[in-house]
Amino acid sequence: MEIDKMKAELFPKVSQEAWMHKTNESLNGKSFESLYKNTYEDILLKPLYGMEDVEGERLPQYPGLPDFRRGMDTPGTFEDGWHVANKISYIDADNLRDKIRAALSMGQTAIAFEIKPSLFSSPDKLKDFLAECQSLGPFSINTGSYCEAFLAFMILARTESGKNSEIEGFIASDPIAEAARNGALPLGEKEFFNRWEHTIAFADQQLPGVKTILVNTAPYHNGGANAVQELAIAISSGIFYLQQLIDRGWEVDHALEKLVFHYSIGANFFMETAKLRAARILWDKAMEAYGVAADKRKMLISAETSMFTKTVLDPNVNLLRAGNEAFAAVLGGARFLDVRSFNETFGKHDAFSERIARNTQLILKAEAQLERVSDPAGGSWYIEALTHQLAQKAWDLFLEMEDIGGILEALKKEWLQTKLHEVLTKRKHDILFRKQSIIGTNVYANLSENIGKKEASAEDALSAPGSIEEIMEKVASSQPVFISASSSEAAESFQPVPSIRLAEPFEELRYKAAEIEKLSGKKPAIGLIVLGELQQHKPRVDFISGIMAAGGIVTLTSPMVTESMEAIEFIKSTGLIHICVCGGNRQYEEMVPRLIKEIKSVLPHVKLSLAGFPEEEMRKELTAGGIEKYIHAKINSCELLSNLLQELEEDFNEGKA
């Protein structure tokens, strides 16, 4: 009887106003609006979301129904989850064969690797390897600039092996994304897309189950794009390719079968989850305008963890970043997922890092059981609200791009590059001023780690002109596959989209510090003069030490100073030239004017700075007394460190340190 009563009990319904009232009570006078935060997508994030935030939005009741935000499949029809499609590193075709076999035996479910020129150095071995791959699993290959050549090898391998097994997955490229990286198409636009359509059509005849058109937003993501821009670019690119095929006689439904969309997944967990959900809404809306039936309007999504967010410094933190990004991709509905190795940023691949990347996905599959859940993000008002706002903003930007002429015209007119640069500038500003943290890089840097620069790749960029049939003939007759490109129509060049990582400015500082250490035999260092009791000086000591560590600079801290001679003796004992004074505001008022005057009278060569940013009148007095820099929370930390390292290097070269 008691159990029946318990079952009948319900939690009382609490209104959003009640939650806000309770929150205001805990804010000690701060407004609820002070908790709001604006994103790079110009979306205002609130601390509390409810049904009211998606009021009027028509949400599909089940996954598998238009607008497909909740996923492409109805519950119960998607049993195997997503494909583990981590790119396998390799030296040559033999090495790749061995590593693919090993990866597939340990949980990898798709054949994925980067196309490199070295792969074509042994045509017979490559054909044998591809023939074997046909029965091992679906492909997940971004062919980049080598689409025709690789498809030619794939078709020959299938023909010569005599196997009739259906090949699935995608072996695809996004020529506009490649052009965005390089600053031009390899040939004139009309000639290029005539040849491109011929390749797609030929591959469709020979490999009908393989998708060959990739919409790849990773280059734009790595150029600083926000989620709204990535979505608009994806839809505009997809429409561009679709229209190219339709204009050349393709049926729209048939053309859609060739498309796959690829996204990089960044650090903002909920935003990235909502991004993939919004992508399906947008594509459904665009295809509805083309008159496509509902069941043909589904977007197949491939995803990778971001390189933009990864670091060379303290690379083990990349494990956490990749895990967070992989989780977001799965919640968003990715069907192919590449979790990049934590040490890939400095060009190192090994069995351990590749295993960890693979097991990141397997934990999400087998232990978190995410492969058994339809639309795990469904029901979160926060994610639903983000999804709705992203879709609205991205659709507006997409229409703006279409007014310009589409994705390619937006690049040629450099309108898109300008838009991306605006967001990238904001991202860089927040990193340089430490408004955004990169753990282990601009905050909590590890000064004991060994700093080594990434090795430059020795691979040459090669092109493969001529029709896919001509390339196949060269492969079959063992002639060179790659020759110089030529065209009767000049390709129009434009400003390329840069590919960067946000951590790079601070990594360069650490490389600079390592060079100084190599020359001088000791780490670059500054001294900290501490005033007052521990609780008075510790916050500023920790602040200065943290900033300096981000530039590879050691801080040597004095005992608590009460008299000027104690500070002078400390400076003499360390031999340091750059000294920062740290204390509380009371100590600054009572001690610092006299302290710096006496230090400069005995040690005039010493360069003094102060932790904090006093009122203007005090700054005038301290500057006149010898303070050269004020180090505070609103300073450009990268610029500060760069200048300081330059001064430390000059001091060493002049024999002062």
Side-chain angles (χ1 to χ4, degrees), residues 203-497:
D204 182 51
Q205 296 171 5
Q206 304 295 322
L207 305 169
V210 174
K211 297 181 182 296
T212 49
I213 304 173
L214 185 68
V215 174
N216 180 19
T217 65
Y220 312 101
H221 173 94
N222 293 329
N226 62 34
V228 168
Q229 290 170 334
E230 289 179 64
L231 290 169
I233 289 166
I235 303 307
S236 186
S237 298
I239 293 291
F240 180 92
Y241 293 133
L242 189 64
Q243 197 61 50
Q244 290 290 322
L245 295 182
I246 292 172
D247 290 347
R248 289 167 173 81
W250 286 60
E251 294 292 332
V252 64
D253 286 3
H254 188 193
L256 285 171
E257 294 172 0
K258 301 289 104 180
L259 276 166
V260 60
F261 291 77
H262 183 79
Y263 297 90
S264 272
I265 307 299
N268 190 337
F269 180 85
F270 294 107
M271 187 68 73
E272 296 300 311
T273 296
K275 179 174 80 179
L276 298 190
R277 301 174 95 243
R280 293 192 292 273
I281 296 174
L282 292 165
W283 191 241
D284 175 72
K285 183 179 180 69
M287 292 304 96
E288 185 178 15
Y290 269 80
V292 176
D295 63 334
K296 303 289 186 182
R297 303 200 297 255
K298 300 176 181 180
M299 172 187 277
L300 178 64
I301 293 177
S302 166
E304 65 179 31
T305 55
S306 172
M307 279 296 285
F308 185 73
T309 62
K310 302 305 181 294
T311 64
V312 169
L313 304 173
D314 205 357
N316 290 344
V317 183
N318 290 336
L319 292 168
L320 305 177
R321 297 185 181 107
N324 176 73
E325 292 160 3
F327 194 6
V330 171
L331 293 189
R335 300 296 287 270
F336 291 84
L337 179 57
D338 173 16
V339 175
R340 308 183 79 137
S341 299
F342 71 89
N343 52 7
E344 187 176 358
T345 48
F346 45 91
K348 182 179 179 182
H349 293 274
D350 53 44
F352 174 74
S353 62
E354 290 182 350
R355 181 186 177 201
I356 292 295
R358 183 169 55 248
N359 284 351
T360 298
Q361 297 205 51
L362 298 181
I363 288 171
L364 294 175
K365 272 178 170 279
E367 295 190 20
Q369 299 283 308
L370 289 180
E371 66 179 352
R372 299 184 182 276
V373 183
S374 295
D375 185 30
S380 165
W381 299 123
Y382 177 30
I383 295 177
E384 294 291 2
L386 276 183
T387 300
H388 175 61
Q389 291 180 76
L390 281 176
Q392 280 191 322
K393 286 179 173 289
W395 185 257
D396 291 341
L397 184 59
F398 159 68
L399 294 178
E400 193 175 347
M401 290 177 66
E402 292 305 296
D403 287 341
I404 292 171
I407 178 66
L408 191 54
E409 286 299 313
L411 285 167
K412 290 194 293 187
K413 293 176 181 176
E414 301 188 357
W415 176 89
L416 183 56
Q417 292 89 322
T418 300
K419 292 285 188 183
L420 297 178
H421 181 72
E422 289 171 0
V423 179
L424 180 60
T425 299
K426 292 177 184 177
R427 292 186 190 275
K428 286 182 174 180
H429 176 274
D430 289 348
I431 294 300
L432 299 180
F433 285 81
R434 306 208 320 169
K435 292 182 179 180
Q436 293 286 340
S437 297
I438 305 177
I439 304 302
T441 300
N442 74 339
V443 294
Y444 306 120
N446 178 13
L447 281 171
S448 65
E449 70 179 310
N450 184 37
I451 304 297
K453 281 200 173 184
K454 177 181 176 180
E455 294 291 329
S457 173
E459 296 283 11
D460 294 323
L462 301 174
S463 59
S467 70
I468 191 168
E469 295 95 337
E470 291 171 334
I471 296 170
M472 288 177 63
E473 288 177 9
K474 291 173 184 174
V475 174
S477 60
S478 300
Q479 294 179 28
V481 177
F482 299 103
I483 58 177
S484 299
S486 60
S487 173
S488 59
E489 180 189 357
E492 184 176 346
S493 62
F494 46 80
Q495 184 70 30
V497 175

Side-chain angles (χ1 to χ4, degrees), residues 512 515-516 519-520 577 645-657:
K512 181 69 173 178
E515 290 173 7
I516 295 173
L519 291 171
S520 65
I577 295 174
L645 285 169
Q646 183 65 34
E647 292 177 27
L648 289 167
E649 184 179 33
E650 290 171 358
D651 292 341
F652 169 73
N653 291 335
E654 294 170 6
K656 296 178 182 179

Side-chain angles (χ1 to χ4, degrees), residues 8 14 41 63 73 82 94 98 102 187 248 307 341 365 379 386 390 407 443 470 486 498 530 546 556 571 596 624 627:
V14 180
E41 293 78 14
D73 301 285
W82 67 96
D94 283 338
D98 294 339
L187 303 173
R248 289 167 173 81
M307 279 296 285
S341 299
K365 272 178 170 279
L386 276 183
L390 281 176
I407 178 66
V443 294
E470 291 171 334
S486 60
V530 299
L556 303 180
I571 296 170
I596 61 175
I627 294 293

